[in-house]
Structures are given as C-alpha cells and as structure tokens.
Amino acid sequence: MIRFLAKRLTQALVVLLLVSVLVFVLLHLLPGGPARAILGVQATPDAVAHFNHQQGYDRSLPEQYVSYLGRLLTGDLGESYKLNQSVASLLAERLPKTALLAGLALALAAVVAVPLGVLQAVRRGRAADYLLTGVAFLAYATPVFFLGLVLILIFGQQLQLLPAEAPQADTVGGILAQAPALVLPVVTAALGIVAAFSRYLRSAVLDNLAEDYVRTARAKGQSNARIMARHVLRNALIPLATLLGLYLPTLFSGTLVVESMFNYPGMGLLFWNAAQSSDFPVLLGVTLVVGVATVLGSLLADLAYALLDPRIRSVT
C-alpha cells in the first residue's frame, strides 16, 4: 500500500507541475500579452513597458516561470485588477461556498443514484427499467441551464414553494441557515449527475450479477437481498468511487452555470463575472484551483479504488 501511495503521489505532483505550466502558458497567450490584456488596448507603449518591468514580464520565460512558481508556493495568485483584491483572498471567500454546493449535489446524487441504478439492474428489461432509463437519458442530455430554468419556473414562480434566488450570506453557516434557498441550486446541479451515476451503477450491478460468486451464493441458499447487499453492491460501488473523483471538472462546469443562474456567491459566479470584465488574474486563478482540485480528486479516487479492491494495489 505504501508503494502504491508513493507512486500515486509522485504522479499527482508531476501533473500539478504540468498544470502550473499550462496556466503560465495561458497567461502569455493572452491577446497582446499580459500587459495589453490587463491594461487594455488603449494603453500607451510606455505604460505597457512600465507594467511589464513592474511585473517581471520583461525577463526571460524560464525566469518568469520560476518566479511564478515561487509565488504559487507561497499562495500568491496575483491581484484582481477589477476588484482591487488579491485573487487568493477572493478564492478563499468563494471556494468554501462552491465546495458546499458541489458537496451537497454529489451527496444527493449518490443517495438517489444508488437505489435507482440497483432498481434498473434488478428490473432489467421491464417497464421500470425502460422508464428510468428514458428519464436518465433525458436528464443527462438536457443542459443544466434549461433544467434550472424549468425548476425556477415551476417551483419558484408558479407554485412559489421555493426561492428562485440562492442564499446571499457571506459565510457557509449563513448559507446553511437559508436552507430552502439552497434546494433549487443543489437539485439543478445534482440532476445530471444522478442520471450519469445511475447508468454506471446499473451496468456495474449487471456485470456482477453474472459473476460465478453470485451463482455460488444462490446455490448456498442465500436470499437475493443478502447477495445484493453483501456481495454485488459492494463490488459495483468500486467504479462509482472512481467516478466521484473524476467528476470534479464536470461538476465545476455545472456549478458555474448554476451559480450564475441562481446568483449563488461562489467560485463559479466569480469566474463568470471575471470573464465578463476580462479580469484575467481571477480567471487564471480559478483555472489553477480547478486543475488542482481535479488532480486531487483523481488521487482520492485512486486511493478509494485501492482500498475497496486490494487487487489494484498488488497490480500497481
């Protein structure tokens, strides 16, 4: 297990280094360079030259990258030129809120998708399977913004059961205190994930039901419920554990839309506003954080996979 962990940590560090290189390259691919992109097209050559010297952009690219990497290691992600605030402080304010929204959406998706996937597998080829499969495909194919609009129209405007705007509190505790306003954003973010997870789990359960150990358990007289709970479901959840970690990039893109629709004060809304105002330091800071979260999610998925299936540790 130690060898497996060391190998995965080394791979994660290499990928994180590559992520930092990618963000650094994106910074220098901005139209007209970082100075022109930040100062605007009307900036004078003297202003551009002064900015480049002040920020170190007049040095060689290797020197700039070493300096950039050093700032990253100290938590310096630059300054927002539109908000006059450090990118790190902006992300520190918004990241816990996005993590709350994403965590609740993932938890809801897992709780709903597991029984749905099992039901589809057990009822394979029957009316319930066809109905749930059709609903899953429809939810998976429908854009997040359309799902959100439908939910707002039905539950926020016509029935007026839930607020159409997300909580506007400054802290996670304040957001949780406004729980009814969280329902629509969480459900909107979770619907597509439920559809995907239930389909994966259905396939995994069907694969395990065809294994020899299931036939052996049945020959020993074990009930279907006991076989499903103690054998099939345990093995079928292994791919889902990996999927949870790998789903982080998709989840962020979904929360970006959800936060913009419901005016949720998270990292996605920050990214959206920065894109509209061409606040490139914020855009690159959010991109870096999402990249790091994706790598860490993949690492956690590998570790969860190894814990659930000891054979993985021996192979790798």
Side-chain angles (χ1 to χ4, degrees):
M1 183 64 178
I2 296 178
R3 182 181 177 183
F4 174 84
L5 180 60
K7 183 178 180 180
R8 289 295 184 267
L9 285 175
T10 303
Q11 292 174 347
L13 290 175
V14 172
V15 175
L16 286 175
L17 186 63
L18 293 176
V19 169
S20 69
V21 172
L22 176 61
V23 174
F24 176 78
V25 171
L26 288 175
L27 176 64
H28 287 272
L29 289 178
L30 294 175
R36 185 68 65 182
I38 293 171
L39 298 179
V41 295
Q42 302 298 326
T44 64
D46 290 340
V48 171
H50 176 72
F51 182 86
N52 284 333
H53 180 72
Q54 185 181 40
Q55 300 295 325
Y57 293 138
D58 54 351
R59 293 181 292 172
S60 66
L61 288 178
E63 288 180 313
Q64 290 185 49
Y65 176 71
V66 171
S67 177
Y68 170 75
L69 189 60
R71 293 197 302 271
L72 288 183
L73 294 175
T74 59
D76 183 4
L77 300 178
E79 298 286 328
S80 169
Y81 296 101
K82 304 295 181 180
L83 301 175
N84 294 321
Q85 189 176 348
S86 69
V87 176
S89 63
L90 286 170
L91 294 179
E93 293 173 2
R94 305 295 186 98
L95 183 57
K97 301 172 186 177
T98 296
L100 173 66
L101 177 62
L104 290 175
L106 272 178
L108 177 62
V111 169
V112 175
V114 170
L116 285 182
V118 172
L119 179 60
Q120 287 177 269
V122 173
R123 300 291 181 180
R124 180 185 182 185
R126 301 181 185 179
D129 182 27
Y130 290 131
L131 176 62
L132 292 174
T133 298
V135 172
F137 279 132
L138 181 63
Y140 190 72
T142 304
V144 175
F145 73 88
F146 185 76
L147 289 173
L149 288 175
V150 171
L151 292 177
I152 290 174
L153 180 63
I154 295 175
F155 296 99
Q157 294 185 2
Q158 293 186 354
L159 300 179
Q160 296 185 354
L161 295 176
L162 297 167
E165 186 179 51
Q168 299 299 306
D170 295 329
T171 62
V172 172
I175 290 176
L176 290 174
Q178 304 175 38
L182 263 179
V183 174
L184 290 183
V186 170
V187 172
T188 302
L191 280 176
I193 309 175
V194 169
F197 283 7
S198 64
R199 295 300 299 164
Y200 275 101
L201 193 63
R202 176 185 182 275
S203 299
V205 170
L206 288 175
D207 289 341
N208 281 276
L209 285 174
E211 294 291 338
D212 291 336
Y213 72 86
V214 173
R215 287 191 289 269
T216 302
R218 285 174 177 164
K220 291 181 177 180
Q222 294 188 18
S223 64
N224 288 331
R226 183 181 179 86
I227 293 173
M228 186 65 66
R230 297 196 59 180
H231 302 289
V232 175
L233 192 57
R234 179 180 179 182
N235 291 315
L237 287 176
I238 294 177
L240 189 61
T242 303
L243 196 63
L244 285 171
L246 299 179
Y247 221 77
L248 280 176
T250 304
L251 185 61
F252 173 75
S253 64
T255 55
L256 190 154
V257 177
V258 170
E259 290 181 11
S260 302
M261 288 185 61
F262 292 95
N263 196 32
Y264 183 84
M267 208 164 59
L269 184 60
L270 176 67
F271 187 89
W272 177 263
N273 292 333
Q276 291 183 315
S277 61
S278 299
D279 197 346
F280 294 106
V282 173
L283 292 175
L284 294 175
V286 173
T287 301
L288 180 66
V289 170
V290 173
V292 171
T294 303
V295 173
L296 294 179
S298 179
L299 176 62
L300 292 175
D302 287 340
L303 295 179
Y305 203 95
L307 290 174
L308 292 170
D309 190 349
R311 294 172 298 178
I312 302 299
R313 299 196 296 266
S314 60
V315 173
T316 55

